Amino acid sequence: MPLTLYVPARTTLHQLHPVTKLGLLAAFVVAAFVVDRPLLVLPLGCAIGGLLWLAHGGGNVRRLRVMFVLVFIFTLVVWTFFFTGFFRPSYAGFLFGLSTAIRLDTFLAAGLLFLTTTRVEEVAYALGRLGVPYVVGFTLTLAFRLVPAFFDAAASVVQAQRCRGLELGRGGVVTRLRRYVPIIVPVLIGALRRADRMAMALELRGFNSGRPRTTYLRARAGRADAVAGALAVATTLVYLALWASGAGRLAGRP
Amino acid sequence: MSSPAVVVRALACTYAGATRPAVRDVDCELPRGALAVVMGATGAGKSTLARCLTRIVPCFLPGEVTGDIELLGVPVRDRRVGELAGTIGMVFQDFEAQLFSTDVTQEVVFGLEHTSVAPAEMPERIARALGAVGLAGFEGRDPTTLSGGEKQRLAIAGLLALRPPIMVLDEPTTDLDPAGRAEVMQVLARLRAEGLTLLVIEHDPAAAAAADLVLFLRDGAVVARDTPQRLLGDVGACAAAGVRPPDVTRVFAGLGLPDPPLAVEAAADRLRTAGLVPRPPAFHEPVPRARSPLLEIRNLCHRYPDGRDALLDVTLSIGEGEFVALIGRNGSGKTTLAKHLNGLLAPTAGSVRLEGREVAFLPLEQLAQRVGYVFQDPDHQLFAATVAEEVAFGPRNLGLAPTQVEERVAEALAAVDLHERDADPFLLDKGARQRLAVASILALRPDVLVLDEPTTGLDHLEQERMLELLARLHATGRTIVIVTHTPWVIATHARRVVLLAEGRLRYDGPLRPFFANEELLAAAAFRAPDVTRLGRCLGCTPLTVEEFLAWTPRRS
């Protein structure tokens, strides 16, 4: 199963400059972070939802639907019952829980929108353009490549040990932890061996060749980027103004 | 006259901490555009030779390298691996470790970016590299969605984009199914036609047939170098180097004919001319006796969480004491089916019963003692500090008393012929690790043994040893099910073939009719063993060389 959420489509959103997409993500996160009123957070969530739909991200939303619902319900319940005290339900808590729930789902959706429209390599590129060292972006790309392989191997190891009668869910805490040794050792050793081979393969492809690096991805910012950038800046400014004026705050917030 | 592509003089290499050299006294020269195939047993120094050429030894794997290596007339001494990118490329068996990107195009771009290729030049290089490996049109795909053969070809494309005149391939097809193997072999033929110098390490003699030069390595030294006709046509030379001689060679040697050809068709012509045509006996197949079914699979369907159907309506039963080969292309559902036999996977629909009881409902402990499953990669299960501890793990999980555990360990290790009780499992060679994995399952005393590709990645002698082990276990009454791609492995011991194609049962029956059915073989992307193909050219279907020879009347 591919780990990436990227949907290869040629929508305007996909074709935005990676830095613009990163900027949009930042704008949404900041805006949703600074206000508390559900009625103010909700429009952001709706806007992102609409963009996700435009970016063909519906499948991704479906893939993570359980997460969206769980985060929402859990947050709402926790805040409602624990806002003013232990197991003391309150209306203020409910309101705050509602806004936090919408906010967390908005964060989630914003992240999803970003990953739906941006390849990991583009993220690395955007980070590079923003002055982040190449190694950081590259490590990110490699992680996306390695994590699924790691989980595949782990699943295989768990099955192999089950065939030898290993039952993980039995016994006390210490016994249970010890039961993980036959899983952890092969997974780690396998990962280290593969990492070793990967280091060789990287260098065989010219990593550390001593020659200066060039870049294939050459995103050019166009009119769409100007519009998206302006929208991002405007949204951030409006929400920051709401925060500064106090209009975005919920009454009764501790 | 331009300098040769590769010149190796008095090369010796001893890994740090090793007592004897991995490679010694190697001298060889490869003219530009040559295809050399390096063969030999595990530990003969094949990979070390390849690693010295690419400077992986000593840059990555510390060791002492003496002697001289020149690539295109330039000495490589003191060069880093990365500096040689664009001069020499190297492909390994583990294709997953050679892909770093989440997109096919980016994968090819990677090397270009790191070797200062101008961006304007990249699109053409990408298109050519992907075209050369038959992956044109795959731009933008996520590599995790590719098949093994496609992944390996993508790894090759990533190197090809750097336009290295020399490529080294270390067992590039070992982890692939027959279809994937054929794809990679086609790519190699194309690269050769384009003038690349290729050094290929392979166990399969079929891959060596087209080579200009074959090198046999043993204990780190080159023990024979010649044309494939000469070397692979010589049973003695093959045996001395631990290389499996081609079937045709063995047939010719058995019949006392000189100069065996490498192609099956040519061999058939020679035999016909010589009047040495096998005459199979009229009734050679014993009537299979009815056996009590041990495992019954009825209308089995399995759907993966992502909605793909892995198995569709599979019905078959496996009797006590049978030896069944489960075959099919990668992704045909054979491993999925095998994993239902011991409850690792549960049916989406249908049922799997062990002596009438639903496998999915049997407790793990009980099931583990009835159906043992040996995974393809022994390294997915080895974790203990010693061989004996490793084998004791299973019996201990069953809650047996120490004396019983000890008894089981001794019995299992004896069965697999492994006597280094206190050795570190991780330091054993691949064949011994594979046998240890079998022992760790045998210690549970299962009646049924399911093995996923038990011979993959082993050299010829280790494969023989593993098969002898399986034959012994079968002879003691165990039911054996093996998942495999290797034709001769099936032909030697299995008496029943189960073929899956796209999750459906395509064939279930005896071996001989299967090997005689071209259409089925094509559906499975499966090639019958050479001796069977040779027999088919002459109007019969022998399964082994011994059978072919027994059927062929000789003039006294």
Side-chain angles (χ1 to χ4, degrees):
Chain A
M1 194 184 78
L3 177 79
T4 53
L5 295 162
Y6 181 75
V7 176
R10 297 186 66 81
T11 68
T12 315
L13 273 164
H14 279 80
Q15 284 164 347
L16 287 178
H17 193 285
V19 173
T20 312
K21 289 188 244 185
L22 207 56
L24 270 176
L25 173 69
F28 283 133
V29 169
V30 168
F33 189 73
V34 294
V35 295
D36 300 331
R37 279 182 190 280
L39 273 179
L40 289 174
V41 193
L42 197 58
L44 280 173
C46 291
I48 294 170
L51 290 176
L52 258 174
W53 181 71
L54 285 176
H56 304 282
N60 279 337
V61 175
R62 229 167 296 131
R63 236 168 102 180
L64 296 182
R65 62 183 185 272
V66 179
M67 204 146 107
F68 276 103
V69 174
L70 276 184
V71 163
F72 193 91
I73 293 176
F74 185 76
T75 314
L76 191 59
V77 169
V78 166
W79 282 104
T80 306
F81 285 90
F82 299 95
F83 189 61
T84 48
F86 193 71
F87 260 110
R88 236 194 287 155
S90 66
Y91 182 63
F94 171 75
L95 271 188
F96 199 73
L98 190 63
S99 86
T100 311
I102 299 175
R103 184 194 334 229
L104 288 180
D105 270 357
T106 305
F107 286 166
L108 206 59
L112 196 57
L113 175 64
F114 182 66
L115 292 178
T116 301
T117 54
T118 321
R119 288 176 199 289
V120 189
E121 283 83 359
E122 283 181 75
V123 182
Y125 172 76
L127 292 176
R129 289 299 296 267
L130 294 173
V132 177
Y134 171 74
V135 186
V136 176
F138 176 66
T139 310
L140 186 76
T141 328
L142 212 51
F144 268 83
R145 186 41 218 134
L146 280 175
V147 168
F150 189 78
F151 277 108
D152 278 351
S156 191
V157 170
V158 169
Q159 287 192 338
Q161 304 301 34
R162 275 193 41 173
C163 292
R164 300 164 78 193
L166 178 69
E167 289 206 69
L168 291 171
R170 234 168 26 182
V173 177
V174 180
T175 327
R176 278 190 196 205
L177 282 179
R178 275 188 39 201
R179 277 179 204 283
Y180 275 93
V181 171
I183 308 284
I184 293 166
V185 171
V187 170
L188 277 187
I189 288 186
L192 289 176
R193 280 190 179 151
R194 177 155 287 169
D196 243 13
R197 286 194 287 264
M198 199 171 238
M200 295 175 199
L202 280 167
E203 198 158 328
L204 283 162
R205 288 247 221 118
F207 197 82
N208 196 14
S209 70
R211 283 170 258 179
R213 261 178 17 86
T214 50
T215 319
Y216 173 67
L217 271 178
R218 221 146 249 254
R220 212 174 295 150
R223 201 180 306 157
D225 288 285
V227 175
L231 274 175
V233 172
T235 312
T236 315
L237 287 179
V238 167
Y239 276 80
L240 280 176
L242 286 168
W243 166 69
S245 70
R249 303 190 90 208
L250 265 179
R253 184 180 173 170
Chain B
M1 184 69 197
S2 60
S3 50
V6 179
V7 176
V8 177
R9 299 238 175 279
L11 180 70
C13 167
T14 308
Y15 287 112
T19 48
R20 62 176 198 94
V23 151
R24 60 192 163 89
D25 310 323
V26 173
D27 284 278
C28 73
E29 205 168 281
L30 289 187
R32 295 190 188 210
L35 166 62
V37 172
V38 181
M39 306 179 84
T42 301
K46 310 184 296 293
S47 293
T48 305
L49 174 60
R51 290 171 186 156
C52 287
L53 293 182
T54 51
R55 296 283 298 160
I56 281 180
V57 184
C59 293
F60 279 91
L61 305 166
E64 201 195 316
V65 180
T66 57
D68 292 304
I69 296 173
E70 283 180 17
L71 300 179
L72 309 169
V74 182
V76 298
R77 183 182 291 272
D78 305 325
R79 302 293 292 276
R80 288 198 312 271
V81 176
E83 289 176 301
L84 293 176
T87 304
I88 185 165
M90 179 168 172
V91 178
F92 328 127
Q93 181 181 335
D94 180 5
F95 40 80
E96 298 287 354
Q98 302 174 76
L99 303 177
F100 332 114
S101 308
T102 60
D103 170 309
V104 166
T105 313
Q106 286 299 322
E107 195 61 62
V108 181
V109 164
F110 184 88
L112 300 176
E113 290 186 333
H114 284 87
T115 51
S116 262
V117 173
E121 205 189 313
M122 289 186 189
E124 196 227 327
R125 289 228 197 177
I126 296 165
R128 277 182 155 243
L130 287 176
V133 299
L135 288 180
F138 280 66
E139 294 87 349
R141 281 271 296 273
D142 184 341
T144 50
T145 63
L146 303 182
S147 72
E150 287 164 350
K151 283 180 182 170
Q152 192 59 289
R153 280 147 61 206
L154 179 57
I156 296 174
L159 291 162
L160 280 185
L162 307 178
R163 306 207 166 138
I166 311 164
M167 284 276 267
V168 176
L169 300 103
D170 189 352
E171 299 197 35
T173 66
T174 297
D175 284 344
L176 302 178
D177 66 352
R181 185 169 299 201
E183 290 167 12
V184 170
M185 285 299 160
Q186 260 174 24
V187 169
L188 289 189
R190 198 175 324 173
L191 297 186
R192 196 182 175 207
E194 286 181 12
L196 266 79
T197 308
L198 302 171
L199 183 95
V200 185
I201 297 172
E202 260 290 344
H203 286 303
D204 184 6
D212 298 298
L213 177 71
V214 175
L215 297 175
F216 281 177
L217 258 63
R218 197 180 70 194
D219 300 330
V222 177
V223 289
R225 88 182 66 201
D226 214 322
T227 60
Q229 283 76 16
R230 287 256 185 78
L231 279 193
L232 295 172
D234 183 344
V235 178
C238 289
V243 171
R244 182 180 157 75
D247 287 352
V248 169
T249 302
R250 288 173 59 211
V251 167
F252 271 54
L255 297 173
L257 292 173
D259 307 323
L262 291 175
V264 164
E265 294 74 15
D269 286 341
R270 283 270 305 276
L271 292 178
R272 225 177 273 122
T273 317
L276 290 165
V277 175
R279 288 192 210 117
F283 298 105
H284 50 260
E285 221 73 270
V287 183
R289 56 196 164 84
R291 302 173 198 256
S292 56
L294 196 60
L295 280 161
E296 274 187 286
I297 298 153
R298 288 210 185 287
N299 308 104
L300 177 63
C301 297
H302 188 87
R303 181 169 290 172
Y304 288 129
D306 64 5
R308 274 181 310 127
D309 284 313
L311 290 174
L312 286 163
D313 202 22
V314 173
T315 297
L316 63 105
S317 74
I318 296 170
E320 205 180 323
E322 278 202 86
F323 198 127
V324 182
L326 198 51
I327 64 166
R329 293 170 185 244
N330 278 354
S332 62
K334 54 191 190 317
T335 298
T336 307
L337 174 59
K339 285 185 175 171
H340 278 84
L341 300 181
N342 76 335
L344 281 176
L345 292 176
T348 309
S351 70
V352 180
R353 293 210 166 101
L354 177 68
E355 288 176 340
R357 296 172 68 190
E358 197 76 47
V359 163
F361 298 137
L362 285 173
L364 179 67
E365 252 176 39
Q366 212 174 324
L367 205 50
Q369 299 181 65
R370 300 302 311 279
V371 186
Y373 192 108
V374 182
F375 275 68
Q376 179 181 348
D377 188 349
D379 297 336
H380 276 160
Q381 63 169 70
L382 303 185
F383 72 97
T386 68
V387 164
E389 282 296 304
E390 191 67 59
V391 180
F393 176 69
R396 280 196 193 128
N397 282 331
L398 300 180
L400 296 178
T403 49
Q404 283 172 303
V405 171
E406 180 43 44
E407 188 190 324
R408 298 264 186 124
V409 170
E411 170 192 292
L413 286 177
V416 302
D417 199 17
L418 205 61
H419 305 288
E420 303 96 331
R421 288 179 56 103
D422 299 320
D424 183 340
F426 293 98
L427 299 179
L428 298 175
D429 61 43
K430 176 87 193 277
R433 292 209 301 280
Q434 188 70 271
R435 280 183 288 127
L436 176 57
V438 175
S440 67
I441 295 298
L442 281 181
L444 302 165
R445 291 192 182 151
D447 310 305
V448 184
L449 208 54
V450 184
L451 303 106
D452 194 353
E453 308 246 9
T455 57
T456 296
L458 304 186
D459 69 17
H460 168 54
L461 295 175
E462 287 166 340
Q463 287 186 330
E464 294 273 11
R465 207 166 171 185
M466 176 57 68
L467 284 178
E468 276 164 26
L469 165 61
L470 294 185
R472 275 203 309 275
L473 294 172
H474 183 227
T476 56
R478 285 198 182 76
T479 308
I480 310 264
V481 179
I482 56 171
V483 177
T484 185
H485 291 308
T486 317
W488 68 270
V489 165
I490 298 174
T492 318
H493 294 294
R495 285 297 160 260
R496 176 178 168 196
V497 177
V498 172
L499 165 66
L500 290 175
E502 285 160 9
R504 290 177 194 278
L505 189 65
R506 216 20 231 288
Y507 177 85
D508 176 8
L511 225 51
R512 234 176 277 276
F514 171 71
F515 280 142
N517 188 330
E518 300 295 333
E519 193 200 337
L520 276 180
L521 288 170
F526 205 85
R527 242 164 80 119
D530 278 355
V531 69
T532 311
R533 292 171 53 228
L534 180 63
R536 297 291 302 153
C537 292
L538 299 168
C540 60
T541 315
L543 296 177
T544 60
V545 170
E546 290 72 20
E547 209 169 50
F548 189 102
L549 292 176
W551 292 355
T552 311
R554 261 150 280 187
R555 290 164 295 186
S556 49

